[in-house]
Amino acid sequence: MSSIILGQTIWLIGLVTWFIIRYPYARRARGTATLRRDGTLRERVLLAAAFAGLFVIPVVSLATGWPRAFAYDPGYGLVVLGSLLFAFSLWLFRRSHKDLGRQWSASLEVREGHRVVRTGVYRLIRHPMYASFWLWAIAQACLLPNVVAAFSGVAAVAVLFFARVRFEEQMMIETFGEDYRRYMQQTHRIIPGVY
C-alpha cells in the first residue's frame, strides 16, 4: 500500500472514530439544562471554520483530488508520525469528554450542575479538548497528500483556539470566580508546564 493511500485511510478511520467518540456524549448532553450560552455569530463562525478545516476541505480533497497543484507524497515517515499523533489526539479527545461528563458541550455553555473539573486530564491542562484538536490538525498535516487539505486543519484550529479560548475562560471566571482563577494559576492551557 502506498504512503498516500495509507495516510488517507488512517485519516478517514480517525475521522470516523472521532464521531463515534463524540456521539454518545453529545446525545447525553442534550438532556442537561443549559444555564448560560454564548450563541453569538462569532461562536457560530468559529465552529463552522473548524468544521471546514478539519472535515469539509479534507473530504473534498480526498474525494476529488482538489486542488491537484498542491498534491504530494507525504512518505511513510510522516504517515507513521501522523498516525501516532492522531491516536493520541483521539485518546485525549475521549478522555476529556469522559472527565467532563454531562458538562460537555460543543459550544460555549455553562450547564446545570456545572463545576470546575480538576480531575483526569484537567488536572494537567485547562483545555485538553483544544489540545486534542491541535494534535488532530498536526496529524492531518502529516497524513493527507495535499498541502491545502493537510494544513486547513492547522489554520482552522488556530483560528478557533486563539479567537475563542479567552471568551471561554472569561465565561468560566464570571461563573466560578475565584475558584476558576485558582485553577488557572495551577494549570496551563494546552501544554503541561509550558502553555
PDB file of all heavy atoms in Angstrom, residues 81-98:
ATOM      1  N   LEU A  81       4.221   9.143  11.881  1.00  0.00           N
ATOM      2  CA  LEU A  81       4.112  10.229  12.861  1.00  0.00           C
ATOM      3  C   LEU A  81       2.668  10.707  12.974  1.00  0.00           C
ATOM      4  O   LEU A  81       2.131  10.867  14.083  1.00  0.00           O
ATOM      5  CB  LEU A  81       5.029  11.396  12.469  1.00  0.00           C
ATOM      6  CG  LEU A  81       4.948  12.632  13.364  1.00  0.00           C
ATOM      7  CD1 LEU A  81       5.343  12.304  14.796  1.00  0.00           C
ATOM      8  CD2 LEU A  81       5.812  13.751  12.786  1.00  0.00           C
ATOM      9  N   GLY A  82       2.012  10.926  11.835  1.00  0.00           N
ATOM     10  CA  GLY A  82       0.615  11.362  11.835  1.00  0.00           C
ATOM     11  C   GLY A  82      -0.302  10.359  12.498  1.00  0.00           C
ATOM     12  O   GLY A  82      -1.226  10.733  13.230  1.00  0.00           O
ATOM     13  N   SER A  83      -0.040   9.085  12.287  1.00  0.00           N
ATOM     14  CA  SER A  83      -0.858   8.030  12.909  1.00  0.00           C
ATOM     15  C   SER A  83      -0.738   8.061  14.424  1.00  0.00           C
ATOM     16  O   SER A  83      -1.737   7.958  15.141  1.00  0.00           O
ATOM     17  CB  SER A  83      -0.433   6.655  12.392  1.00  0.00           C
ATOM     18  OG  SER A  83      -0.566   6.588  10.999  1.00  0.00           O
ATOM     19  N   LEU A  84       0.480   8.201  14.908  1.00  0.00           N
ATOM     20  CA  LEU A  84       0.703   8.259  16.364  1.00  0.00           C
ATOM     21  C   LEU A  84       0.051   9.503  16.965  1.00  0.00           C
ATOM     22  O   LEU A  84      -0.590   9.430  18.025  1.00  0.00           O
ATOM     23  CB  LEU A  84       2.202   8.233  16.664  1.00  0.00           C
ATOM     24  CG  LEU A  84       2.926   6.940  16.299  1.00  0.00           C
ATOM     25  CD1 LEU A  84       4.435   7.110  16.459  1.00  0.00           C
ATOM     26  CD2 LEU A  84       2.410   5.768  17.122  1.00  0.00           C
ATOM     27  N   LEU A  85       0.206  10.644  16.297  1.00  0.00           N
ATOM     28  CA  LEU A  85      -0.407  11.880  16.792  1.00  0.00           C
ATOM     29  C   LEU A  85      -1.932  11.788  16.790  1.00  0.00           C
ATOM     30  O   LEU A  85      -2.594  12.224  17.733  1.00  0.00           O
ATOM     31  CB  LEU A  85       0.048  13.073  15.945  1.00  0.00           C
ATOM     32  CG  LEU A  85       1.495  13.503  16.115  1.00  0.00           C
ATOM     33  CD1 LEU A  85       1.869  14.560  15.069  1.00  0.00           C
ATOM     34  CD2 LEU A  85       1.744  14.030  17.522  1.00  0.00           C
ATOM     35  N   PHE A  86      -2.488  11.205  15.717  1.00  0.00           N
ATOM     36  CA  PHE A  86      -3.950  11.082  15.639  1.00  0.00           C
ATOM     37  C   PHE A  86      -4.459  10.141  16.727  1.00  0.00           C
ATOM     38  O   PHE A  86      -5.473  10.408  17.371  1.00  0.00           O
ATOM     39  CB  PHE A  86      -4.382  10.595  14.262  1.00  0.00           C
ATOM     40  CG  PHE A  86      -5.705  11.152  13.802  1.00  0.00           C
ATOM     41  CD1 PHE A  86      -6.010  11.177  12.455  1.00  0.00           C
ATOM     42  CD2 PHE A  86      -6.659  11.648  14.676  1.00  0.00           C
ATOM     43  CE1 PHE A  86      -7.216  11.686  11.994  1.00  0.00           C
ATOM     44  CE2 PHE A  86      -7.871  12.164  14.242  1.00  0.00           C
ATOM     45  CZ  PHE A  86      -8.147  12.173  12.891  1.00  0.00           C
ATOM     46  N   ALA A  87      -3.743   9.035  16.961  1.00  0.00           N
ATOM     47  CA  ALA A  87      -4.150   8.097  18.017  1.00  0.00           C
ATOM     48  C   ALA A  87      -4.137   8.791  19.382  1.00  0.00           C
ATOM     49  O   ALA A  87      -5.088   8.652  20.162  1.00  0.00           O
ATOM     50  CB  ALA A  87      -3.232   6.875  18.025  1.00  0.00           C
ATOM     51  N   PHE A  88      -3.088   9.552  19.658  1.00  0.00           N
ATOM     52  CA  PHE A  88      -3.029  10.267  20.943  1.00  0.00           C
ATOM     53  C   PHE A  88      -4.114  11.342  21.011  1.00  0.00           C
ATOM     54  O   PHE A  88      -4.738  11.538  22.056  1.00  0.00           O
ATOM     55  CB  PHE A  88      -1.645  10.878  21.158  1.00  0.00           C
ATOM     56  CG  PHE A  88      -1.497  11.526  22.507  1.00  0.00           C
ATOM     57  CD1 PHE A  88      -1.629  10.786  23.670  1.00  0.00           C
ATOM     58  CD2 PHE A  88      -1.248  12.883  22.610  1.00  0.00           C
ATOM     59  CE1 PHE A  88      -1.517  11.379  24.928  1.00  0.00           C
ATOM     60  CE2 PHE A  88      -1.130  13.489  23.853  1.00  0.00           C
ATOM     61  CZ  PHE A  88      -1.270  12.729  25.017  1.00  0.00           C
ATOM     62  N   SER A  89      -4.356  12.006  19.895  1.00  0.00           N
ATOM     63  CA  SER A  89      -5.413  13.007  19.832  1.00  0.00           C
ATOM     64  C   SER A  89      -6.770  12.404  20.185  1.00  0.00           C
ATOM     65  O   SER A  89      -7.535  12.976  20.966  1.00  0.00           O
ATOM     66  CB  SER A  89      -5.469  13.614  18.424  1.00  0.00           C
ATOM     67  OG  SER A  89      -6.665  14.324  18.219  1.00  0.00           O
ATOM     68  N   LEU A  90      -7.054  11.243  19.618  1.00  0.00           N
ATOM     69  CA  LEU A  90      -8.337  10.582  19.882  1.00  0.00           C
ATOM     70  C   LEU A  90      -8.437  10.113  21.324  1.00  0.00           C
ATOM     71  O   LEU A  90      -9.507  10.204  21.943  1.00  0.00           O
ATOM     72  CB  LEU A  90      -8.542   9.418  18.911  1.00  0.00           C
ATOM     73  CG  LEU A  90      -8.748   9.840  17.452  1.00  0.00           C
ATOM     74  CD1 LEU A  90      -8.657   8.623  16.536  1.00  0.00           C
ATOM     75  CD2 LEU A  90     -10.071  10.570  17.271  1.00  0.00           C
ATOM     76  N   TRP A  91      -7.338   9.629  21.894  1.00  0.00           N
ATOM     77  CA  TRP A  91      -7.351   9.239  23.309  1.00  0.00           C
ATOM     78  C   TRP A  91      -7.642  10.459  24.182  1.00  0.00           C
ATOM     79  O   TRP A  91      -8.482  10.413  25.079  1.00  0.00           O
ATOM     80  CB  TRP A  91      -6.008   8.619  23.720  1.00  0.00           C
ATOM     81  CG  TRP A  91      -5.976   8.363  25.197  1.00  0.00           C
ATOM     82  CD1 TRP A  91      -6.471   7.272  25.851  1.00  0.00           C
ATOM     83  CD2 TRP A  91      -5.484   9.251  26.208  1.00  0.00           C
ATOM     84  NE1 TRP A  91      -6.312   7.420  27.211  1.00  0.00           N
ATOM     85  CE2 TRP A  91      -5.713   8.640  27.458  1.00  0.00           C
ATOM     86  CE3 TRP A  91      -4.891  10.510  26.171  1.00  0.00           C
ATOM     87  CZ2 TRP A  91      -5.350   9.235  28.658  1.00  0.00           C
ATOM     88  CZ3 TRP A  91      -4.530  11.104  27.373  1.00  0.00           C
ATOM     89  CH2 TRP A  91      -4.763  10.468  28.595  1.00  0.00           C
ATOM     90  N   LEU A  92      -6.951  11.576  23.910  1.00  0.00           N
ATOM     91  CA  LEU A  92      -7.134  12.798  24.694  1.00  0.00           C
ATOM     92  C   LEU A  92      -8.546  13.352  24.515  1.00  0.00           C
ATOM     93  O   LEU A  92      -9.169  13.828  25.464  1.00  0.00           O
ATOM     94  CB  LEU A  92      -6.087  13.837  24.281  1.00  0.00           C
ATOM     95  CG  LEU A  92      -6.040  15.131  25.078  1.00  0.00           C
ATOM     96  CD1 LEU A  92      -5.804  14.859  26.562  1.00  0.00           C
ATOM     97  CD2 LEU A  92      -4.951  16.036  24.510  1.00  0.00           C
ATOM     98  N   PHE A  93      -9.062  13.274  23.302  1.00  0.00           N
ATOM     99  CA  PHE A  93     -10.425  13.725  22.999  1.00  0.00           C
ATOM    100  C   PHE A  93     -11.442  12.926  23.816  1.00  0.00           C
ATOM    101  O   PHE A  93     -12.316  13.490  24.470  1.00  0.00           O
ATOM    102  CB  PHE A  93     -10.667  13.557  21.494  1.00  0.00           C
ATOM    103  CG  PHE A  93     -11.976  14.069  21.009  1.00  0.00           C
ATOM    104  CD1 PHE A  93     -12.240  15.429  20.966  1.00  0.00           C
ATOM    105  CD2 PHE A  93     -12.954  13.198  20.555  1.00  0.00           C
ATOM    106  CE1 PHE A  93     -13.448  15.910  20.497  1.00  0.00           C
ATOM    107  CE2 PHE A  93     -14.163  13.663  20.082  1.00  0.00           C
ATOM    108  CZ  PHE A  93     -14.413  15.019  20.056  1.00  0.00           C
ATOM    109  N   ARG A  94     -11.311  11.606  23.801  1.00  0.00           N
ATOM    110  CA  ARG A  94     -12.227  10.758  24.572  1.00  0.00           C
ATOM    111  C   ARG A  94     -12.085  11.009  26.070  1.00  0.00           C
ATOM    112  O   ARG A  94     -13.059  11.120  26.794  1.00  0.00           O
ATOM    113  CB  ARG A  94     -11.960   9.280  24.281  1.00  0.00           C
ATOM    114  CG  ARG A  94     -12.937   8.382  25.020  1.00  0.00           C
ATOM    115  CD  ARG A  94     -12.603   6.907  24.854  1.00  0.00           C
ATOM    116  NE  ARG A  94     -13.468   6.104  25.688  1.00  0.00           N
ATOM    117  CZ  ARG A  94     -13.353   5.977  27.006  1.00  0.00           C
ATOM    118  NH1 ARG A  94     -12.429   6.623  27.665  1.00  0.00           N
ATOM    119  NH2 ARG A  94     -14.184   5.210  27.692  1.00  0.00           N
ATOM    120  N   ARG A  95     -10.842  11.100  26.529  1.00  0.00           N
ATOM    121  CA  ARG A  95     -10.589  11.306  27.958  1.00  0.00           C
ATOM    122  C   ARG A  95     -11.182  12.632  28.433  1.00  0.00           C
ATOM    123  O   ARG A  95     -11.765  12.705  29.510  1.00  0.00           O
ATOM    124  CB  ARG A  95      -9.068  11.281  28.198  1.00  0.00           C
ATOM    125  CG  ARG A  95      -8.643  11.331  29.625  1.00  0.00           C
ATOM    126  CD  ARG A  95      -8.933  10.023  30.286  1.00  0.00           C
ATOM    127  NE  ARG A  95      -9.804  10.313  31.398  1.00  0.00           N
ATOM    128  CZ  ARG A  95     -10.318   9.409  32.209  1.00  0.00           C
ATOM    129  NH1 ARG A  95     -10.062   8.142  32.029  1.00  0.00           N
ATOM    130  NH2 ARG A  95     -11.098   9.748  33.185  1.00  0.00           N
ATOM    131  N   SER A  96     -11.045  13.684  27.633  1.00  0.00           N
ATOM    132  CA  SER A  96     -11.589  14.982  28.045  1.00  0.00           C
ATOM    133  C   SER A  96     -13.112  14.944  28.085  1.00  0.00           C
ATOM    134  O   SER A  96     -13.726  15.531  28.984  1.00  0.00           O
ATOM    135  CB  SER A  96     -11.079  16.111  27.140  1.00  0.00           C
ATOM    136  OG  SER A  96     -11.431  15.897  25.803  1.00  0.00           O
ATOM    137  N   HIS A  97     -13.751  14.234  27.158  1.00  0.00           N
ATOM    138  CA  HIS A  97     -15.207  14.068  27.215  1.00  0.00           C
ATOM    139  C   HIS A  97     -15.614  13.300  28.466  1.00  0.00           C
ATOM    140  O   HIS A  97     -16.551  13.683  29.164  1.00  0.00           O
ATOM    141  CB  HIS A  97     -15.708  13.307  25.976  1.00  0.00           C
ATOM    142  CG  HIS A  97     -15.912  14.156  24.780  1.00  0.00           C
ATOM    143  ND1 HIS A  97     -14.875  14.628  24.027  1.00  0.00           N
ATOM    144  CD2 HIS A  97     -17.042  14.622  24.201  1.00  0.00           C
ATOM    145  CE1 HIS A  97     -15.357  15.333  23.030  1.00  0.00           C
ATOM    146  NE2 HIS A  97     -16.666  15.359  23.108  1.00  0.00           N
ATOM    147  N   LYS A  98     -14.907  12.212  28.732  1.00  0.00           N
ATOM    148  CA  LYS A  98     -15.229  11.385  29.895  1.00  0.00           C
ATOM    149  C   LYS A  98     -15.072  12.174  31.193  1.00  0.00           C
ATOM    150  O   LYS A  98     -15.917  12.102  32.076  1.00  0.00           O
ATOM    151  CB  LYS A  98     -14.334  10.152  29.902  1.00  0.00           C
ATOM    152  CG  LYS A  98     -14.679   9.128  30.954  1.00  0.00           C
ATOM    153  CD  LYS A  98     -13.863   7.867  30.727  1.00  0.00           C
ATOM    154  CE  LYS A  98     -14.033   6.844  31.802  1.00  0.00           C
ATOM    155  NZ  LYS A  98     -15.360   6.376  32.033  1.00  0.00           N
TER     156      LYS A  98
END
